[in-house]
């Protein structure tokens, strides 16, 4: 990462040859519409996929942990964790066949693009989110929820007032993990995308064949800076939440 950051200030177009300090690639990056469009598309897809994965993953984790005995529970648990061990090539091919079959059966989606990428990323990201939130739910003290139920709160209110705040650190971790996985994916996106949707990983991968453009180094440096700041803030927030949780346990 340090080498990547250093060579983003290289004046030479050859990324392996140092020719002096320069910020011209950052200036050219601002005027590169294709690259900026790919960044915007990737960020919007990653944010949307992570948000949907958080909702589906929370529901799936709650069903697996809190309702362990129901018909088809083993099959449901297997289906939620299958993308974790499934090769990306198989997942991408399966999703491609699904979208083609849906298009022929119900006429939607008519074409593959940003929407199909978003659906595909949300599908495999849900598995990772489910694992993260399930781990948090397993160690959760159910006595607080039971006390709220005994005081007359309905299960839905208990979930939003008691359970959701207690698993908030896991929700943040799951969202960041899903966002990163979606932003990084290139294999599944190649299967389910169309000619009009070019994500950042696909664009970078296509440029590698002809030599990495120094503008990619500049863009990667900016992304590293933004991700580092967000990760540090999230770490501080989760650390304080964990300390507060430990203090509450000791007080009991």
């Amino acid at each position: 990462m340090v080498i990547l950051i250093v060579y983003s200030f290289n004046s030479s177009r050859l990324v392996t040859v140092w020719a002096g300090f320069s910020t011209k690639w950052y200036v050219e990056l601002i005027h590169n519409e294709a690259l900026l469009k790919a960044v915007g598309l990737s960020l919007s897809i990653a944010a949307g996929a992570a948000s949907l994965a958080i909702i589906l993953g929370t529901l799936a984790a709650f069903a697996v942990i809190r309702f362990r005995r129901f018909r088809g529970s083993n099959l449901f648990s297997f289906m939620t964790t299958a993308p974790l061990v499934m090769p990306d090539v198989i997942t991408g091919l399966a999703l491609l066949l699904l979208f083609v079959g849906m298009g022929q059966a119900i006429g939607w989606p008519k074409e593959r693009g940003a929407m199909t990428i978003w659906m595909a990323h949300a599908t495999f990201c849900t598995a990772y989110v489910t694992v993260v939130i399930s781990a948090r739910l397993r160690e959760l003290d159910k006595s607080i929820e039971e006390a709220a139920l005994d005081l007359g709160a309905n299960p839905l209110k208990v979930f939003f007032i008691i359970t959701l705040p207690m698993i908030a650190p896991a929700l943040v971790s799951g969202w960041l993990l899903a966002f990163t996985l979606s932003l990084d994916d290139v294999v599944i996106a190649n299967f389910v995308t169309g000619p009009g949707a070019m994500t950042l990983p696909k664009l970078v991968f296509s440029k590698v064949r002809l030599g990495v453009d120094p503008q990619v180094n500049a863009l990667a440096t900016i992304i590293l800076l933004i991700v580092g700041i967000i990760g540090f803030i999230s770490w501080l927030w989760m650390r304080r939440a964990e300390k507060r949780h430990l203090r509450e346990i000791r007080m009991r």
Side-chain angles (χ1 to χ4, degrees):
M1 291 182 184
V2 174
I3 294 175
L4 184 147
I5 294 172
V6 171
Y7 274 93
S8 70
F9 295 98
N10 185 14
S11 61
S12 174
R13 181 169 289 276
L14 300 175
V15 294
T16 57
V17 178
W18 180 260
F21 182 86
S22 175
T23 59
K24 68 176 183 178
W25 303 118
Y26 289 89
V27 177
E28 292 190 11
L29 175 63
I30 298 175
H31 299 91
N32 191 330
E33 295 183 1
L35 192 57
L36 294 179
K37 184 179 179 181
V39 172
L41 180 63
S42 293
L43 291 176
S44 60
I45 290 175
S51 300
L52 181 58
I54 281 293
I55 297 173
L56 298 177
T58 302
L59 296 175
F62 204 82
V64 171
I65 302 301
R66 295 299 172 85
F67 303 98
R68 295 182 179 179
R69 295 182 179 179
F70 60 90
R71 183 173 297 179
S73 59
N74 292 331
L75 178 61
F76 181 76
S77 299
F78 170 76
M79 290 176 62
T80 55
T81 57
L84 294 172
V85 296
M86 196 76 67
D88 289 346
V89 174
I90 303 300
T91 303
L93 179 59
L95 289 167
L96 172 62
L97 295 176
L98 172 65
F99 293 142
V100 171
M102 289 173 58
Q104 294 176 348
I106 62 176
W108 185 87
K110 294 182 179 180
E111 58 183 15
R112 296 185 297 277
M115 178 62 70
T116 53
I117 298 175
W118 170 68
M119 294 170 62
H121 284 186
T123 299
F124 79 85
C125 286
T126 298
Y128 293 89
V129 173
T130 302
V131 172
V132 173
I133 298 178
S134 295
R136 182 65 174 177
L137 284 173
R138 284 191 183 95
E139 64 181 20
L140 206 62
D141 187 4
K142 295 179 63 176
S143 61
I144 302 177
E145 297 171 298
E146 292 172 353
L149 290 170
D150 291 338
L151 292 173
N154 59 63
L156 188 62
K157 186 175 182 180
V158 170
F159 175 77
F160 284 103
I161 302 299
I162 305 297
T163 309
L164 206 58
M166 294 178 70
I167 64 173
L171 296 178
V172 175
S173 300
W175 193 93
L176 292 174
L177 177 61
F179 182 85
T180 303
L181 291 170
S182 175
L183 192 63
D184 181 63
D185 175 70
V186 64
V187 177
I188 295 177
N190 272 326
F191 277 96
V192 301
T193 189
M198 177 63 73
T199 60
L200 179 61
K202 288 183 58 182
L203 183 63
V204 173
F205 187 74
S206 64
K207 288 181 177 294
V208 168
R209 300 175 182 177
L210 303 175
V212 178
D213 193 329
Q215 295 180 44
V216 175
N217 290 346
L219 177 62
T221 301
I222 295 174
I223 293 176
L224 282 173
L225 178 63
I226 296 174
V227 170
I229 294 173
I230 295 175
F232 181 72
I233 294 174
S234 302
W235 174 76
L236 284 178
W237 183 81
M238 287 187 290
R239 183 182 179 185
R240 292 178 180 176
E242 192 65 29
K243 286 183 178 180
R244 185 168 58 252
H245 177 64
L246 292 175
R247 284 197 302 266
E248 292 174 354
I249 293 176
R250 293 193 187 101
M251 289 176 64
R252 300 192 196 116

